[in-house]
mmCIF file of all heavy atoms in Angstrom:
data_model
loop_
_atom_site.group_PDB
_atom_site.id
_atom_site.type_symbol
_atom_site.label_atom_id
_atom_site.label_comp_id
_atom_site.label_asym_id
_atom_site.label_seq_id
_atom_site.Cartn_x
_atom_site.Cartn_y
_atom_site.Cartn_z
ATOM 1 N N ALA A 297 204.762 217.426 108.511
ATOM 2 C CA ALA A 297 205.778 218.474 108.634
ATOM 3 C C ALA A 297 205.143 219.857 108.540
ATOM 4 O O ALA A 297 205.493 220.772 109.294
ATOM 5 C CB ALA A 297 206.831 218.295 107.535
ATOM 6 N N VAL A 298 204.180 220.013 107.614
ATOM 7 C CA VAL A 298 203.481 221.297 107.463
ATOM 8 C C VAL A 298 202.734 221.648 108.745
ATOM 9 O O VAL A 298 202.781 222.793 109.222
ATOM 10 C CB VAL A 298 202.516 221.245 106.264
ATOM 11 C CG1 VAL A 298 201.640 222.498 106.224
ATOM 12 C CG2 VAL A 298 203.291 221.100 104.956
ATOM 13 N N ASP A 299 202.050 220.669 109.319
ATOM 14 C CA ASP A 299 201.314 220.902 110.573
ATOM 15 C C ASP A 299 202.268 221.265 111.710
ATOM 16 O O ASP A 299 201.952 222.117 112.550
ATOM 17 C CB ASP A 299 200.509 219.659 110.954
ATOM 18 C CG ASP A 299 199.330 219.417 110.013
ATOM 19 O OD1 ASP A 299 198.906 220.390 109.349
ATOM 20 O OD2 ASP A 299 198.856 218.270 109.931
ATOM 21 N N ALA A 300 203.443 220.603 111.747
ATOM 22 C CA ALA A 300 204.414 220.866 112.812
ATOM 23 C C ALA A 300 204.968 222.282 112.729
ATOM 24 O O ALA A 300 205.362 222.865 113.748
ATOM 25 C CB ALA A 300 205.555 219.849 112.741
ATOM 26 N N MET A 301 204.984 222.874 111.504
ATOM 27 C CA MET A 301 205.517 224.230 111.323
ATOM 28 C C MET A 301 204.411 225.282 111.333
ATOM 29 O O MET A 301 204.685 226.462 111.161
ATOM 30 C CB MET A 301 206.290 224.300 109.994
ATOM 31 C CG MET A 301 207.518 223.419 109.965
ATOM 32 S SD MET A 301 208.465 223.615 108.447
ATOM 33 C CE MET A 301 207.271 223.114 107.219
ATOM 34 N N LYS A 302 203.154 224.799 111.496
ATOM 35 C CA LYS A 302 202.000 225.707 111.497
ATOM 36 C C LYS A 302 201.956 226.564 110.229
ATOM 37 O O LYS A 302 201.657 227.766 110.265
ATOM 38 C CB LYS A 302 202.014 226.592 112.755
ATOM 39 C CG LYS A 302 201.871 225.801 114.049
ATOM 40 C CD LYS A 302 201.880 226.692 115.257
ATOM 41 C CE LYS A 302 201.549 225.927 116.533
ATOM 42 N NZ LYS A 302 202.417 224.777 116.777
ATOM 43 N N GLY A 303 202.289 225.921 109.098
ATOM 44 C CA GLY A 303 202.142 226.580 107.798
ATOM 45 C C GLY A 303 203.259 227.522 107.406
ATOM 46 O O GLY A 303 203.148 228.231 106.400
ATOM 47 N N GLU A 304 204.364 227.550 108.163
ATOM 48 C CA GLU A 304 205.451 228.470 107.819
ATOM 49 C C GLU A 304 206.794 227.871 108.256
ATOM 50 O O GLU A 304 206.955 227.473 109.401
ATOM 51 C CB GLU A 304 205.241 229.820 108.495
ATOM 52 C CG GLU A 304 206.248 230.885 108.085
ATOM 53 C CD GLU A 304 205.943 232.259 108.667
ATOM 54 O OE1 GLU A 304 204.884 232.395 109.314
ATOM 55 O OE2 GLU A 304 206.760 233.173 108.482
ATOM 56 N N GLY A 305 207.751 227.773 107.298
ATOM 57 C CA GLY A 305 209.058 227.201 107.622
ATOM 58 C C GLY A 305 209.708 226.600 106.388
ATOM 59 O O GLY A 305 209.515 227.083 105.276
ATOM 60 N N ALA A 306 210.481 225.521 106.601
ATOM 61 C CA ALA A 306 211.204 224.887 105.500
ATOM 62 C C ALA A 306 211.114 223.374 105.619
ATOM 63 O O ALA A 306 211.254 222.811 106.709
ATOM 64 C CB ALA A 306 212.669 225.324 105.507
ATOM 65 N N ILE A 307 210.873 222.738 104.471
ATOM 66 C CA ILE A 307 210.849 221.274 104.390
ATOM 67 C C ILE A 307 211.856 220.862 103.322
ATOM 68 O O ILE A 307 211.854 221.396 102.215
ATOM 69 C CB ILE A 307 209.449 220.743 104.010
ATOM 70 C CG1 ILE A 307 208.407 221.160 105.043
ATOM 71 C CG2 ILE A 307 209.491 219.212 103.882
ATOM 72 C CD1 ILE A 307 206.985 220.761 104.665
ATOM 73 N N THR A 308 212.679 219.906 103.667
ATOM 74 C CA THR A 308 213.655 219.377 102.711
ATOM 75 C C THR A 308 213.438 217.880 102.570
ATOM 76 O O THR A 308 213.487 217.147 103.566
ATOM 77 C CB THR A 308 215.098 219.639 103.174
ATOM 78 O OG1 THR A 308 215.293 221.044 103.348
ATOM 79 C CG2 THR A 308 216.094 219.132 102.135
ATOM 80 N N MET A 309 213.174 217.453 101.337
ATOM 81 C CA MET A 309 213.017 216.025 101.068
ATOM 82 C C MET A 309 214.234 215.560 100.270
ATOM 83 O O MET A 309 214.552 216.140 99.230
ATOM 84 C CB MET A 309 211.720 215.758 100.295
ATOM 85 C CG MET A 309 211.424 214.280 100.117
ATOM 86 S SD MET A 309 209.676 213.938 99.763
ATOM 87 C CE MET A 309 209.440 214.905 98.260
ATOM 88 N N SER A 310 214.901 214.514 100.769
ATOM 89 C CA SER A 310 216.141 214.043 100.140
ATOM 90 C C SER A 310 216.058 212.548 99.887
ATOM 91 O O SER A 310 215.512 211.791 100.701
ATOM 92 C CB SER A 310 217.348 214.338 101.034
ATOM 93 O OG SER A 310 217.419 215.712 101.357
ATOM 94 N N VAL A 311 216.636 212.128 98.767
ATOM 95 C CA VAL A 311 216.743 210.709 98.427
ATOM 96 C C VAL A 311 218.225 210.414 98.202
ATOM 97 O O VAL A 311 218.889 211.100 97.421
ATOM 98 C CB VAL A 311 215.933 210.369 97.156
ATOM 99 C CG1 VAL A 311 216.091 208.885 96.811
ATOM 100 C CG2 VAL A 311 214.457 210.722 97.338
ATOM 101 N N PHE A 312 218.736 209.381 98.896
ATOM 102 C CA PHE A 312 220.142 209.027 98.715
ATOM 103 C C PHE A 312 220.342 207.544 99.001
ATOM 104 O O PHE A 312 219.460 206.870 99.539
ATOM 105 C CB PHE A 312 221.052 209.890 99.598
ATOM 106 C CG PHE A 312 220.699 209.860 101.058
ATOM 107 C CD1 PHE A 312 221.355 209.009 101.939
ATOM 108 C CD2 PHE A 312 219.718 210.726 101.567
ATOM 109 C CE1 PHE A 312 221.043 209.003 103.280
ATOM 110 C CE2 PHE A 312 219.404 210.726 102.912
ATOM 111 C CZ PHE A 312 220.060 209.855 103.780
ATOM 112 N N GLU A 313 221.508 207.056 98.621
ATOM 113 C CA GLU A 313 221.819 205.631 98.739
ATOM 114 C C GLU A 313 222.832 205.412 99.856
ATOM 115 O O GLU A 313 223.765 206.180 100.031
ATOM 116 C CB GLU A 313 222.386 205.109 97.416
ATOM 117 C CG GLU A 313 222.653 203.614 97.405
ATOM 118 C CD GLU A 313 223.125 203.112 96.048
ATOM 119 O OE1 GLU A 313 223.123 203.918 95.083
ATOM 120 O OE2 GLU A 313 223.499 201.931 95.958
ATOM 121 N N ARG A 314 222.618 204.284 100.623
ATOM 122 C CA ARG A 314 223.548 203.945 101.698
ATOM 123 C C ARG A 314 223.497 202.435 101.937
ATOM 124 O O ARG A 314 222.432 201.891 102.241
ATOM 125 C CB ARG A 314 223.207 204.689 102.985
ATOM 126 C CG ARG A 314 224.147 204.366 104.157
ATOM 127 C CD ARG A 314 223.716 205.047 105.427
ATOM 128 N NE ARG A 314 223.821 206.498 105.330
ATOM 129 C CZ ARG A 314 223.357 207.347 106.242
ATOM 130 N NH1 ARG A 314 222.731 206.869 107.309
ATOM 131 N NH2 ARG A 314 223.489 208.651 106.078
ATOM 132 N N ASN A 315 224.638 201.781 101.779
ATOM 133 C CA ASN A 315 224.754 200.339 102.049
ATOM 134 C C ASN A 315 223.692 199.515 101.318
ATOM 135 O O ASN A 315 222.972 198.712 101.922
ATOM 136 C CB ASN A 315 224.663 200.061 103.556
ATOM 137 C CG ASN A 315 225.761 200.736 104.332
ATOM 138 O OD1 ASN A 315 226.864 200.909 103.826
ATOM 139 N ND2 ASN A 315 225.470 201.145 105.559
ATOM 140 N N LYS A 316 223.566 199.752 100.015
ATOM 141 C CA LYS A 316 222.613 199.037 99.157
ATOM 142 C C LYS A 316 221.164 199.302 99.530
ATOM 143 O O LYS A 316 220.255 198.572 99.131
ATOM 144 C CB LYS A 316 222.890 197.527 99.191
ATOM 145 C CG LYS A 316 224.235 197.128 98.611
ATOM 146 C CD LYS A 316 224.407 195.620 98.603
ATOM 147 C CE LYS A 316 225.754 195.241 98.002
ATOM 148 N NZ LYS A 316 225.963 193.773 97.977
ATOM 149 N N ASN A 317 220.930 200.335 100.310
ATOM 150 C CA ASN A 317 219.574 200.763 100.659
ATOM 151 C C ASN A 317 219.317 202.158 100.095
ATOM 152 O O ASN A 317 220.247 202.957 99.958
ATOM 153 C CB ASN A 317 219.365 200.790 102.174
ATOM 154 C CG ASN A 317 219.384 199.405 102.783
ATOM 155 O OD1 ASN A 317 218.853 198.463 102.199
ATOM 156 N ND2 ASN A 317 219.993 199.270 103.950
ATOM 157 N N ILE A 318 218.069 202.421 99.783
ATOM 158 C CA ILE A 318 217.659 203.757 99.373
ATOM 159 C C ILE A 318 216.948 204.406 100.548
ATOM 160 O O ILE A 318 216.023 203.824 101.122
ATOM 161 C CB ILE A 318 216.729 203.705 98.143
ATOM 162 C CG1 ILE A 318 217.472 203.100 96.961
ATOM 163 C CG2 ILE A 318 216.238 205.096 97.797
ATOM 164 C CD1 ILE A 318 218.721 203.854 96.545
ATOM 165 N N LEU A 319 217.398 205.595 100.896
ATOM 166 C CA LEU A 319 216.821 206.321 102.032
ATOM 167 C C LEU A 319 216.094 207.558 101.537
ATOM 168 O O LEU A 319 216.584 208.262 100.649
ATOM 169 C CB LEU A 319 217.908 206.741 103.019
ATOM 170 C CG LEU A 319 218.403 205.684 104.018
ATOM 171 C CD1 LEU A 319 219.083 204.519 103.328
ATOM 172 C CD2 LEU A 319 219.336 206.301 105.044
ATOM 173 N N VAL A 320 214.926 207.793 102.114
ATOM 174 C CA VAL A 320 214.156 209.014 101.853
ATOM 175 C C VAL A 320 214.004 209.739 103.183
ATOM 176 O O VAL A 320 213.489 209.164 104.148
ATOM 177 C CB VAL A 320 212.764 208.704 101.272
ATOM 178 C CG1 VAL A 320 212.030 209.999 100.952
ATOM 179 C CG2 VAL A 320 212.874 207.827 100.033
ATOM 180 N N GLU A 321 214.451 210.980 103.233
ATOM 181 C CA GLU A 321 214.322 211.770 104.459
ATOM 182 C C GLU A 321 213.445 212.987 104.215
ATOM 183 O O GLU A 321 213.602 213.672 103.195
ATOM 184 C CB GLU A 321 215.692 212.219 104.963
ATOM 185 C CG GLU A 321 216.508 211.088 105.577
ATOM 186 C CD GLU A 321 217.739 211.583 106.312
ATOM 187 O OE1 GLU A 321 218.108 212.757 106.119
ATOM 188 O OE2 GLU A 321 218.323 210.793 107.077
ATOM 189 N N VAL A 322 212.527 213.226 105.143
ATOM 190 C CA VAL A 322 211.691 214.430 105.121
ATOM 191 C C VAL A 322 212.012 215.210 106.392
ATOM 192 O O VAL A 322 211.701 214.765 107.501
ATOM 193 C CB VAL A 322 210.194 214.081 105.055
ATOM 194 C CG1 VAL A 322 209.354 215.357 105.096
ATOM 195 C CG2 VAL A 322 209.888 213.280 103.798
ATOM 196 N N LYS A 323 212.654 216.343 106.216
ATOM 197 C CA LYS A 323 213.144 217.129 107.346
ATOM 198 C C LYS A 323 212.405 218.457 107.414
ATOM 199 O O LYS A 323 212.205 219.121 106.396
ATOM 200 C CB LYS A 323 214.648 217.367 107.193
ATOM 201 C CG LYS A 323 215.284 218.150 108.329
ATOM 202 C CD LYS A 323 216.784 218.299 108.109
ATOM 203 C CE LYS A 323 217.456 219.041 109.253
ATOM 204 N NZ LYS A 323 218.915 219.178 109.045
ATOM 205 N N ASP A 324 211.995 218.835 108.622
ATOM 206 C CA ASP A 324 211.332 220.130 108.804
ATOM 207 C C ASP A 324 211.974 220.871 109.968
ATOM 208 O O ASP A 324 212.713 220.280 110.759
ATOM 209 C CB ASP A 324 209.821 219.939 109.052
ATOM 210 C CG ASP A 324 209.535 219.237 110.373
ATOM 211 O OD1 ASP A 324 209.748 219.853 111.443
ATOM 212 O OD2 ASP A 324 209.113 218.062 110.360
ATOM 213 N N ASN A 325 211.689 222.159 110.069
ATOM 214 C CA ASN A 325 212.192 222.960 111.192
ATOM 215 C C ASN A 325 211.030 223.428 112.053
ATOM 216 O O ASN A 325 210.981 224.563 112.515
ATOM 217 C CB ASN A 325 213.026 224.146 110.698
ATOM 218 C CG ASN A 325 212.212 225.100 109.818
ATOM 219 O OD1 ASN A 325 211.062 224.784 109.463
ATOM 220 N ND2 ASN A 325 212.772 226.247 109.472
ATOM 221 N N GLY A 326 210.091 222.494 112.276
ATOM 222 C CA GLY A 326 208.886 222.811 113.047
ATOM 223 C C GLY A 326 209.071 222.677 114.545
ATOM 224 O O GLY A 326 210.164 222.894 115.086
ATOM 225 N N SER A 327 207.994 222.282 115.219
ATOM 226 C CA SER A 327 207.975 222.268 116.688
ATOM 227 C C SER A 327 208.742 221.103 117.287
ATOM 228 O O SER A 327 209.103 221.132 118.469
ATOM 229 C CB SER A 327 206.524 222.221 117.181
ATOM 230 O OG SER A 327 205.858 221.085 116.648
ATOM 231 N N GLY A 328 209.016 220.047 116.491
ATOM 232 C CA GLY A 328 209.730 218.896 117.032
ATOM 233 C C GLY A 328 208.865 218.087 117.988
ATOM 234 O O GLY A 328 207.687 218.386 118.197
ATOM 235 N N MET A 329 209.460 217.057 118.580
ATOM 236 C CA MET A 329 208.714 216.170 119.477
ATOM 237 C C MET A 329 209.535 215.829 120.711
ATOM 238 O O MET A 329 210.769 215.825 120.657
ATOM 239 C CB MET A 329 208.352 214.865 118.747
ATOM 240 C CG MET A 329 207.244 214.998 117.721
ATOM 241 S SD MET A 329 206.897 213.413 116.903
ATOM 242 C CE MET A 329 208.162 213.429 115.641
#
Side-chain angles (χ1 to χ4, degrees):
V298 172
D299 290 339
M301 296 184 299
K302 297 180 172 55
E304 186 175 355
I307 300 175
T308 302
M309 186 159 58
S310 305
V311 179
F312 55 96
E313 184 176 354
R314 180 184 294 172
N315 299 328
K316 295 183 179 180
N317 292 321
I318 298 301
L319 279 64
V320 183
E321 287 191 346
V322 178
K323 181 178 182 180
D324 66 70
N325 61 352
S327 57
M329 286 180 276

